[in-house]
Amino acid sequence: MAIKPKLKVKQLRSGIGRTEDMRRTLKGLGLRGPHTEVVVANTPAFRGAIKKVIHLVSVEEIDG
């Protein structure tokens, strides 16, 4: 059984002053503020959400 890669997403910048859509995307990813990290599945849905806020986060691929 293959290990599915995951993505570690860390919020680097605040959502204050951003559009409501961006703030909702950060909340949907599970990020609550700068310097918080979450691990999410490497799926097209999560990749699309990350792409919308890529200027506010850093992304690292990790194993399983």
Side-chain angles (χ1 to χ4, degrees):
M1 190 161 129
I3 297 175
K4 294 189 178 185
K6 295 189 181 280
L7 300 172
K8 181 166 71 170
V9 184
K10 181 176 183 179
Q11 185 175 349
L12 300 176
R13 306 199 59 198
S14 174
I16 295 173
R18 310 296 175 180
T19 64
E20 183 66 25
D21 192 40
M22 286 183 202
R23 288 197 301 263
R24 286 183 182 166
T25 301
L26 290 170
K27 188 175 181 181
L29 286 169
L31 297 166
R32 299 182 300 140
H35 310 294
T36 57
E37 293 182 357
V38 293
V39 176
V40 296
N42 188 0
T43 62
F46 279 118
R47 283 199 172 271
I50 291 167
K51 189 174 179 181
K52 290 179 79 169
V53 292
I54 194 67
H55 57 291
L56 304 176
V57 300
S58 69
V59 182
E60 179 183 337
E61 191 171 304
I62 58 174
D63 291 329

